Amino acid sequence: MNCFHLLCIVLAIHFAESLRQGKVGSKSLICERRSPYQLQYRKDLPWGEDIIRDVNLDNITAGRATVLALHTAHCLYCTTQAKYLGNMARDLQEYGTNISIVIINRAGYEDYIDYYMRHIKMFDHVYFLQDNWETNAWRDLGGRKDDFYIYDTAQRLVKYVSGREGSLTNFGWKDELYDMLSRLGQGGSPCDDDEAEDKNDDSSLRTSEFMFPRNDQCRRMKDILLDSLRISSRTITLVYFVDASVSYSVSQAKELARLVERWKNEGKDAEVIIINEIESSGSFNELVNEVQEISNSIDIILQDTKDHQFFARLQGFRDDIMIYDENKRLMFYNRSPKSDLLNNGWREELGRLISTGDKFCSELQLRELKCKKVEDWSYNEIPFTWMTFERFTVLSILKEGSEGVEQFRRIKDARLKMGHFPITHMAINPSSTEGLKNVWVLRELAENSRVHYIEDYTELDKSIINKLYGAPGDVFYYDREGILRDIEKYSQNYDLMSKIRAQFKSVDRPCF
């Protein structure tokens, strides 16, 4: 063996090890941040106008998970890959997950851009960038044609996929990429130590392999939807989205009916709602008959309409399954094809979730909020941090209906008996129909009382209750620094004064 052969073997071993570590070029290291390349952005508009401008890659990927693909514009396979990526990005955007797809055309292939653009519809969240010999992003990345680089929201490399291994006609890899982008787009990343610790956490809060993250997780459903869907209170609610014109979708609805019968026999209490897509309204009656032949335990079977728009407002698609806890907070969401009810693992997981109750969102609430400082939310231009400054604070979410009125009376009496104790007590009335029924009674009770009465916003993005992952009956205790010390549930035998005294006697202890 001569020196040349030996050198070739050494280089091959080094290159293989680089691939194993997710490293191809000197700059492509796992969990290392990529360079902020300055490249030319190109987009052809439908009416024939072209957009051409220089962009900084950081400006179009800031705060988003990013897929960066290296293409040459003359390549038909590359256009097929770009179409798959565009559709995937669009689907994830519809589910509230923000990602960017960046395609970098190799320097020297500028003359083929028109060919590339003719073969692919460029979505708003897909960016076509032209490399140049000066910047030479391809060389800097150490990449080759068809390579994938996947970055978290901090633009740190989390996965490198070489060449044709990343073909999106491979549905196993396509599903893996979809799941990875769903997690990364919500801010999760294997590059964060906190996430590594969470993986070892044995609590019921761990993420199931069937769960897709949503930015409204553990937030309450809008009240107008609760009324329209006729959802009952104090029970788990499962919503299944069906297309009655598709045989697979109908078979899933029938399988769900069989499961409901089994749960009923096992003593599991769950409300099940099936919603049929607008376009398949002609097959709705047939769907109802087929499901009811198996079980009469499906609570509600609804036909979606242009007026109700249940699919759009719940952000659901055909064969999706959503589960809401007793307080109508979205605790679990699963989409097709992982929602296939013939999958035994998913069936068992679904049965477990039906028995979970509000434990999932309560644990999430504690993990996200406890021992952290209250955020500077504003209500009618009064910031919460001002209201809690250098005083103990108790924040109660009132129960709905007459129970909320009785709860407010007890809060008012307890605050009166506390005298000059340095405490701020706030009571938030939910913006639901039941919560608003007694609004005038509550306003009258609040007059001349030492309790700050607040009516929650109806808009989900402003709702204080949703920012707290809260539900009617929750009681939050903050210390003088605005640190959340504990969360408890209000009940009829709840001794508010004793709870307050016990909480604030222990404020010098560490917060756990």
Side-chain angles (χ1 to χ4, degrees), residues 27-43:
K27 297 293 181 69
S28 301
L29 296 170
I30 293 295
C31 289
E32 183 173 296
R33 204 179 184 285
R34 59 153 177 75
S35 301
Y37 304 118
Q38 189 82 16
L39 297 170
Q40 187 185 74
Y41 167 63
R42 169 75 179 266
K43 183 169 183 177

Side-chain angles (χ1 to χ4, degrees), residues 23-209:
K23 180 176 82 171
V24 178
S26 60
K27 297 293 181 69
S28 301
L29 296 170
I30 293 295
C31 289
E32 183 173 296
R33 204 179 184 285
R34 59 153 177 75
S35 301
Y37 304 118
Q38 189 82 16
L39 297 170
Q40 187 185 74
Y41 167 63
R42 169 75 179 266
K43 183 169 183 177
D44 290 355
L45 298 178
W47 46 87
E49 182 183 347
D50 291 348
I51 295 176
I52 302 176
R53 67 171 185 267
D54 288 337
V55 298
N56 185 300
L57 192 52
D58 276 2
N59 294 339
I60 58 177
T61 59
R64 293 168 175 260
T66 303
V67 177
L68 191 153
L70 303 183
H71 287 180
T72 54
H74 76 304
C75 162
L76 184 60
Y77 170 77
C78 295
T79 64
T80 303
Q81 288 284 86
K83 288 176 186 175
Y84 276 114
L85 286 170
N87 285 320
M88 186 180 295
R90 181 194 60 199
D91 290 347
L92 285 164
Q93 289 275 41
E94 288 174 350
Y95 284 99
T97 303
N98 291 324
I99 70 165
S100 292
I101 305 294
V102 176
I103 295 166
I104 300 182
N105 185 36
R106 189 170 191 172
Y109 287 80
E110 295 88 337
D111 293 342
Y112 296 95
I113 290 177
D114 290 337
Y115 168 86
Y116 191 94
M117 294 294 189
R118 283 200 305 271
H119 282 79
I120 179 170
K121 175 183 177 182
M122 300 302 286
F123 299 91
D124 288 339
H125 34 267
V126 178
Y127 300 92
F128 182 88
L129 304 182
Q130 178 59 56
D131 202 2
N132 56 67
W133 295 118
E134 184 181 353
T135 304
N136 211 336
W138 274 52
R139 182 188 60 199
D140 193 57
L141 289 163
R144 299 168 305 221
K145 187 171 91 64
D146 305 325
D147 285 0
F148 271 111
Y149 297 83
I150 299 161
Y151 299 90
D152 62 16
T153 54
Q155 298 310 305
R156 296 169 298 185
L157 181 67
V158 297
K159 191 173 181 68
Y160 160 75
V161 182
S162 172
R164 296 299 175 96
E165 291 177 8
S167 172
L168 292 168
T169 56
N170 176 343
F171 292 115
W173 159 238
K174 186 179 176 183
D175 286 346
E176 182 186 343
L177 178 60
Y178 195 106
D179 292 351
M180 188 187 307
L181 291 175
S182 294
R183 292 191 297 272
L184 293 173
Q186 298 293 331
S189 174
C191 295
D192 294 327
D193 293 335
D194 289 343
E195 181 162 308
E197 290 173 8
D198 287 348
K199 289 177 182 176
N200 298 320
D201 191 346
D202 196 32
S203 76
S204 63
L205 190 58
R206 64 184 184 275
T207 301
S208 161
E209 63 176 298

Side-chain angles (χ1 to χ4, degrees), residues 274-289:
I274 294 176
I275 307 176
N276 186 41
E277 206 163 18
I278 295 174
E279 288 77 8
S280 57
S281 57
S283 306
F284 177 68
N285 291 332
E286 187 179 347
L287 168 72
V288 173
N289 292 334

Side-chain angles (χ1 to χ4, degrees), residues 300-393:
I300 301 170
I301 305 178
L302 290 174
Q303 174 58 55
D304 201 2
T305 65
K306 289 182 179 178
D307 291 332
H308 285 116
Q309 293 283 349
F310 292 130
F311 270 64
R313 288 157 72 186
L314 291 170
Q315 300 176 52
F317 292 83
R318 189 185 81 198
D319 302 322
D320 287 357
I321 290 177
M322 297 179 188
I323 300 176
Y324 294 85
D325 69 10
E326 297 96 324
N327 293 299
K328 305 315 155 208
R329 297 175 292 189
L330 177 66
M331 66 174 190
F332 199 91
Y333 161 62
N334 193 5
R335 61 171 298 166
S336 178
K338 289 192 174 183
S339 60
D340 185 353
L341 290 167
L342 295 179
N343 179 328
N344 289 331
W346 165 231
R347 285 161 63 98
E348 290 174 11
E349 179 78 353
L350 198 53
R352 184 186 71 80
L353 287 164
I354 293 300
S355 308
T356 300
D358 66 355
K359 186 179 179 183
F360 182 91
C361 286
S362 294
E363 286 192 22
L364 178 69
Q365 185 185 58
L366 280 169
R367 177 170 294 184
E368 291 295 316
L369 302 175
K370 191 174 178 182
C371 296
K372 295 178 183 175
K373 194 173 180 65
V374 63
E375 292 184 34
D376 189 5
W377 306 318
S378 293
Y379 178 79
N380 286 345
E381 300 180 355
I382 299 174
F384 264 41
T385 46
W386 175 81
M387 297 174 76
T388 58
F389 182 64
E390 290 190 351
R391 294 173 68 86
F392 298 117
T393 302

Side-chain angles (χ1 to χ4, degrees), residues 289-301:
N289 292 334
E290 288 192 50
V291 170
Q292 290 185 343
E293 277 181 16
I294 296 170
S295 170
N296 288 318
S297 298
I298 301 288
D299 298 272
I300 301 170
I301 305 178

